[in-house]
Amino acid sequence: MAKPASLLFPLLLSLLILGLLRDQARAQAPGFVGITGLHFSENGRPFFANGFNAYWLMTVAGDAEGRSKVSAAFREAAAHGLTVCRTWAFSDSGFRALQISPGVYDENVFQSLDFVVAEARRNGIRLVLSFANNYAGFGGKKQFVDWARAQGRSISNDDGFFSDALATTMYKNHVSAVIGRMNRVTGVTYRDDPTILAWELMNEPRCSSDPSGRTLQSWIEEMAAHVKSLDSNHLLEVGLEGFYGASAPPQRHFSLSLNVGTDFISNNLVRGIDFATVHCYPDQWLAGSNEEIQRSFVSGWLSAHLADAKDVLHKPLLVAEFGVSNRQSGFSGSQRDAFFHSVYTEVYSSARFGGAAAGALFWLLLQPSMDLYRDGYEIVFQELPFSTRSIIAEQGMRLKNLGKLQP
């Protein structure tokens, strides 16, 4: 039956408004972060990361109280100009394990990760999701080796994770499970969700049993190809701390006396690895040295990696972890402020003048009443002095404005 003209106009107007709102929502929806030259980019514009680490999100999101902490953390992060969060997409043993046994997952825990991804998007936060841990916390490579041994594999040590065929297959299967996961909150498969900025092969991979670096190099090559075969939408990084290996000249080794089978240059030159990472913990690596020595180290460490990322790798560099512990002797808030300022200045200066800096993520954002997760490096906004909060927020504003200025 024909509708009167008096009814058609409001209907058409409503449809027009709905269409405009739909188009606006699409325009505002985040696009996948890619790489243009030495920068992250989104929708053709440079994207710089001012961010944080919060490995605990999936675990804590297992109950209503924990989910409120996750939501609050994202809200506070966004309010302080933070745009990227790095967190775990693994938990292979212990409390609230995601992967109970090889290929067997706790659906409730997976839904906790779904919630984390959904909340990140709701607050305008991008995620770097790590697939596994080098250390025994949350299972790590040790758990994969234990599972493989339980099925009859003879593996001499935990570094067998990188070379044993069964252990590597288990790892690949986990990668496939995460990338192919359909989010029960958003209805979007992880591989199709631009909330995820990048995948990380492993948190701080080390293979000390083969200081030549060949074992880890082969593993990175194999796993990078595997991830890219499953997902061409997202960026990929290794998870490296930044220690140099055989491919670097002696002056690049910084007298750290750490030969853990990694090689910042050759590992990041692998096809499929889209950007490099570096971590920065002078209070650990130079324990006992004074503040002046540590400050000099930070400047040299970051400058060297930024130069190599630009001139050798031709890839962006993300400072994926940095922090200073409040448990070290002589700690003060002003010392932390100075350290944060030095890292942020190196990053901003590089980004501002055409360098490879993509951003920096501090370790570790927590909420109040999370004492079990405190490790000395925690950042709890409610406990921070105004000076520290201002330094973090100012960096976010500078990088945001830089992204608008650059073509």
Side-chain angles (χ1 to χ4, degrees):
M1 180 182 294
K3 289 184 169 36
S6 59
L7 296 178
L8 282 174
F9 180 75
L11 176 63
L12 291 172
L13 181 60
S14 297
L15 291 173
L16 177 61
I17 292 172
L18 287 173
L20 289 173
L21 290 174
R22 179 197 61 210
D23 292 342
Q24 182 181 25
R26 286 177 177 172
Q28 294 174 343
F32 287 101
V33 173
I35 290 177
T36 302
L38 291 172
H39 296 310
F40 292 157
S41 61
E42 179 198 2
N43 297 327
R45 302 294 301 179
F47 176 89
F48 297 101
N50 187 38
F52 61 100
N53 284 266
Y55 69 88
W56 50 269
L57 294 171
M58 179 178 67
T59 302
V60 171
D63 55 47
E65 181 182 358
R67 291 192 174 196
S68 69
K69 286 183 170 63
V70 170
S71 299
F74 281 135
R75 286 196 305 271
E76 291 170 4
H80 285 82
L82 298 171
T83 57
V84 174
C85 169
R86 176 171 170 261
T87 192
W88 298 170
F90 63 83
S91 179
D92 302 304
S93 66
F95 179 64
R96 289 181 180 164
L98 173 62
Q99 189 172 196
I100 303 168
S101 59
V104 179
Y105 292 86
D106 186 325
E107 175 61 21
N108 291 327
V109 179
F110 236 144
Q111 289 187 26
S112 295
L113 184 57
D114 294 343
F115 175 80
V116 169
V117 175
E119 282 297 284
R121 174 164 183 160
R122 195 161 71 90
N123 287 277
I125 304 288
R126 304 297 186 123
L127 296 173
V128 176
L129 295 181
S130 186
F131 288 128
N133 201 6
N134 180 72
Y135 312 107
F138 295 86
K141 64 186 181 186
K142 180 182 186 303
Q143 183 60 71
F144 284 87
V145 168
D146 287 346
W147 281 334
R149 285 171 174 158
Q151 295 189 32
R153 307 294 290 188
S154 178
I155 306 175
S156 60
N157 58 58
D158 292 345
D159 284 348
F161 168 85
F162 297 110
S163 56
D164 179 79
L166 181 56
T168 55
T169 297
M170 290 175 180
Y171 172 85
K172 285 181 177 180
N173 290 342
H174 174 64
V175 168
S176 300
V178 174
I179 290 177
R181 168 76 178 180
M182 191 196 74
N183 192 310
R184 299 297 188 265
V185 178
T186 65
V188 179
T189 303
Y190 282 28
R191 69 163 56 89
D192 299 321
D193 193 340
T195 306
I196 299 167
L197 185 152
W199 304 113
E200 177 178 277
L201 292 181
M202 174 176 263
N203 172 50
E204 298 187 344
R206 294 182 175 190
C207 187
S208 301
S209 63
D210 182 8
S212 75
R214 287 189 292 270
T215 297
L216 190 55
Q217 181 76 11
S218 296
W219 183 83
I220 293 169
E221 291 170 357
E222 181 179 357
M223 298 312 158
H226 177 66
V227 172
K228 289 299 186 178
S229 74
L230 299 171
D231 181 1
S232 60
N233 291 323
H234 292 102
L235 302 177
L236 176 65
E237 47 98 354
V238 180
L240 295 170
E241 298 158 274
F243 302 130
Y244 286 94
S247 67
Q251 63 268 27
R252 284 296 196 244
H253 291 261
F254 292 91
S255 301
L256 287 174
S257 300
L258 286 171
N259 191 340
V260 293
T262 64
D263 189 318
F264 177 76
I265 299 297
S266 64
N267 293 165
N268 283 309
L269 281 173
V270 170
R271 182 178 181 181
I273 299 302
D274 297 297
F275 63 96
T277 62
V278 64
H279 296 182
C280 191
Y281 291 107
D283 59 344
Q284 288 185 26
W285 299 342
L286 301 175
S289 60
N290 61 42
E291 189 174 346
E292 182 179 350
I293 291 175
Q294 292 185 16
R295 189 183 303 116
S296 176
F297 170 85
V298 170
S299 178
W301 179 257
L302 294 179
S303 295
H305 286 84
L306 286 167
D308 289 335
K310 178 182 179 182
D311 300 330
V312 181
L313 302 176
H314 309 295
K315 296 179 181 182
L317 175 75
L318 178 68
V319 183
E321 290 186 24
F322 73 94
V324 60
S325 175
N326 59 33
R327 297 177 182 176
Q328 66 174 321
S329 176
F331 171 83
S332 67
S334 60
Q335 181 187 23
R336 178 171 55 198
D337 285 355
F339 179 57
F340 272 52
H341 182 265
S342 65
V343 172
Y344 285 155
T345 298
E346 289 280 353
V347 167
Y348 179 76
S349 297
S350 171
R352 177 70 179 86
F353 297 104
L361 319 178
F362 65 75
W363 185 280
L364 163 76
L365 183 64
L366 293 180
Q367 283 289 289
S369 69
M370 292 184 66
D371 291 349
L372 289 176
Y373 291 89
R374 290 179 182 263
D375 59 6
Y377 294 88
E378 67 271 2
I379 293 291
V380 181
F381 282 125
Q382 293 87 336
E383 300 173 1
L384 285 183
F386 176 76
S387 59
T388 311
R389 288 187 281 116
S390 297
I391 289 170
I392 294 170
E394 181 185 3
Q395 179 75 349
M397 185 61 68
R398 292 200 301 174
L399 292 178
K400 182 178 181 180
N401 290 337
L402 185 58
K404 293 178 180 178
L405 291 173
Q406 294 192 2

